Amino acid sequence: MTDEHEAQRPEDDAARLGLVVVGEAAALHSGDEAALDASEQNIRDTVDEMIDEPLTARQEQVVERLASAGGTLTAGLSGALAAQTGRSVDDVLEGAARSVVWQQRWADQREDAGGQQRDHQDDDGRDEG
């Protein structure tokens, strides 16, 4: 299809999917049917944006169900953690979303540091200096 997918790093895709799963968990906890429908559409839209070739109908169903199952697990675990710690489910899910974002930032920093280190080495991998 297009080259836009080639520039996308796996860490970025993983972070996007992680946030989609947290969104699904939040929708499940809300009990709001409209929020759940919006979350399921978000799953479909996110997957469609990430793939280089159209999925078969079966593949699409599997991916959507995996994301939904991840949201269900996240909802259950966040509910249990909230009950155990005396915090709200919203606080727990917000923390999960923050963790996903921070993990992506750390991946960016590692990649940037690796690029800078390569810039300071000669063709044989020795430091120029």
Side-chain angles (χ1 to χ4, degrees), residues 24-26 28-29 69-83 89 92-93:
E24 177 76 359
L28 286 166
H29 270 288
T72 300
L73 288 169
T74 302
L77 292 172
S78 63
L81 182 59
V89 173
V92 173
L93 290 173

